[in-house]
Structure formats: structure tokens, C-alpha cells
Amino acid sequence: MSDVVLINPFEVRPGDEAAALAYWERAADHLRRQPGFVETRLHRAVAPGARFPLVNVATWRSTEAFLAATSDPAFRALVGPEMGRFPHHPGLYELIRT
């Protein structure tokens, strides 16, 4: 079985980027310590007015590892208070062409 890729675009209101980055850092710091985590990279849109100014791309060993890490009560408590402030749209993908 090959790794899965999380693509998670974030909606961020103007002026809220610093708070969104802090939110992402807290979540990433926690997830980096979870079984099955491989890597993560946060991307910033270069064009002004992008619907998703921040996009997280992460790699996990399996769908199950990602789901276990993100359903953990400690993770939910860490990110829950600000989930509504920074709507995001996570999806897991598998590589099918190179």
C-alpha cells in the first residue's frame, strides 16, 4: 500500500493570516508526533484574492493513520475552538499518475 496525500485548503479572512498560521502550527506540531505521519508543507497563494490563501499538503502512511490521528480527542480539543474561524476542506488522495 502506498502513502496517501492530504490536500487541505483553508479559507482565511483578510487580516487573519497570523492567527491561521498559529492554528496550523499547533495542529501540525501535534500531528507530527502521530503514528503514520510522514511530512507536511503549508503553501500560501501568490495571487491576491485567492479563495484558499493557505493550502496544507501532507503525506500519511495510510488513510487509517490519518483518521486515527484526527479523530483523537486530544487533537479535537486542540483544534476544535478555531475550526469555524478557519474553514477548511480536507481530502485524502492517492497517486495514480506521475
Side-chain angles (χ1 to χ4, degrees):
M1 175 184 262
S2 61
D3 295 345
V4 294
V5 175
L6 167 73
I7 300 176
N8 192 5
F10 287 81
E11 297 177 42
V12 181
R13 292 184 301 266
D16 248 359
E17 185 176 296
L21 292 172
Y23 171 75
W24 182 85
E25 283 294 341
R26 285 192 304 279
D29 286 345
H30 178 83
L31 293 172
R32 283 182 181 106
R33 298 186 300 271
Q34 303 311 304
F37 174 85
V38 178
E39 69 176 347
T40 189
R41 294 179 180 194
L42 186 64
H43 303 260
R44 177 186 291 135
V46 295
R51 177 174 177 196
F52 303 114
L54 298 175
V55 176
N56 179 45
V57 179
T59 305
W60 287 82
R61 291 288 176 223
S62 69
T63 299
E64 295 77 20
F66 171 78
L67 293 175
T70 56
S71 65
D72 175 60
F75 178 74
R76 305 304 281 174
L78 179 70
V79 300
E82 292 185 288
M83 285 184 79
R85 182 176 179 188
F86 305 111
H88 50 284
H89 311 276
L92 291 176
Y93 299 84
E94 62 183 357
L95 181 65
I96 62 169
R97 300 277 192 280
T98 59

